[in-house]
Amino acid sequence: MHRVELQAEPAALSVDIDKSALVIIDMQRDFLEPGGFGEALGNDVSRLQAAVGPCREVLNAARGLGMLVIHTREGHRPDMSDAPPHKVERGDPATRIGAPGPMGRILIRGEPGHDIIPELYPQANEPVIDKPGKGAFYQTDLELMLKNRGIDTLFVCGVTTEVCVNTTIREANDRGFRCIALSDCCASYFPQFHEAGLAMIKAQGGIFGSVTGSKALLASLRARQAA
Ligand code: TIU
């Protein structure tokens, strides 16, 4: 057991690192780089870059501790049989899911844009969950993986705060997992939605979970190692 004391909102937490996983949501080129799905939706993708450095620091620390690290990717099969028509039909036909973009077909598995950015690229021992929806539990084996390893707490990073991060945390909360969103490791195309997304998680005594920053987590991990 590796227990750490962690400053968080709405209240400090005591967390067993051996029962914790780092879940990095959708840090894909399609969301973070020009020419992908995020930009096709009309967004300023540069806003998401702020989360990359803090994510990398937390990822390095988690790897150093041997913590389970799980990456997710949003996207669809090349034949798009798993893509709901109402999701595909949104927006300009030239930039829809499946349309050819500068990084291959937008949000299609196997295309360069669908893959995770090089800075946070998964190691061979780190499971990658390919998900068709916004939530990482919907139509995936994430819950099975976490239960098989006795995980009860998730540190959650990724993009976007109010869409895939929030949906995943809500799904996890209903399944009995304690979620801790790492505020500076998450980002949104809309700063006000980032703030609101975090506020919604920690409101009402932590209705969906807790929120802290990468620096607080790294300080707790260092304090544990020094003890
Ligand atoms: N558009 C947007 O904010 N997000 C997504 O479509 N997917 C994720 O958040 N991963």
Side-chain angles (χ1 to χ4, degrees):
M1 164 139 49
H2 287 90
R3 194 161 278 286
V4 298
E5 310 306 317
L6 181 62
Q7 291 304 316
E9 293 180 296
L13 299 169
S14 178
V15 178
D16 183 355
I17 289 298
D18 294 341
K19 292 185 177 178
S20 303
L22 176 65
V23 181
I24 306 182
I25 307 282
D26 299 2
M27 292 297 275
Q28 294 162 256
R29 299 182 64 198
D30 262 335
F31 292 112
L32 284 113
E33 294 182 8
F37 183 61
E39 194 173 71
L41 295 174
N43 297 307
D44 174 4
V45 296
S46 68
R47 290 195 185 279
L48 303 196
Q49 291 294 332
V52 176
C55 255
R56 190 160 165 80
E57 284 195 45
V58 170
L59 176 60
N60 286 341
R63 284 173 174 165
L65 285 163
M67 198 191 292
L68 174 64
V69 176
I70 294 181
H71 305 258
T72 74
R73 300 185 295 201
E74 180 180 351
H76 298 280
R77 293 168 180 263
D79 67 5
M80 293 175 56
S81 55
D82 61 347
H86 292 299
K87 183 180 183 186
V88 177
E89 284 160 12
R90 289 172 206 153
D92 177 352
T95 53
R96 285 178 182 168
I97 295 168
M103 294 187 288
R105 293 178 68 206
I106 289 172
L107 233 58
I108 297 295
R109 294 179 192 160
E111 301 287 342
H114 174 262
D115 212 352
I116 293 172
I117 58 169
E119 297 94 316
L120 301 173
Y121 208 76
Q123 290 181 348
N125 62 332
E126 296 169 354
V128 178
I129 304 277
D130 276 321
K131 62 189 181 68
K134 305 304 182 194
F137 289 85
Y138 178 67
Q139 300 288 348
T140 73
D141 52 6
L142 176 59
E143 184 172 11
L144 182 62
M145 259 182 217
L146 296 173
K147 295 241 156 102
N148 282 345
R149 297 187 194 225
I151 300 294
D152 69 6
T153 297
L154 308 181
F155 289 99
V156 186
C157 300
V159 296
T160 60
T161 315
E162 78 280 15
V163 182
C164 293
V165 171
N166 240 266
T167 305
T168 297
I169 287 178
R170 289 167 190 232
E171 288 182 333
N173 177 60
D174 279 348
R175 285 165 174 78
F177 296 99
R178 171 169 58 180
C179 293
I180 304 165
L182 299 176
S183 53
D184 53 333
C185 300
C186 299
S188 169
Y189 303 116
F190 308 93
Q192 69 274 31
F193 289 172
H194 173 73
E195 291 306 325
L198 297 173
M200 281 189 273
I201 291 165
K202 68 186 179 188
Q204 303 181 68
I207 194 83
F208 298 125
S210 304
V211 178
T212 192
S214 64
K215 288 199 163 38
L217 175 60
L218 294 169
S220 291
L221 297 177
R222 274 194 297 270
R224 177 66 182 76
Q225 278 176 325

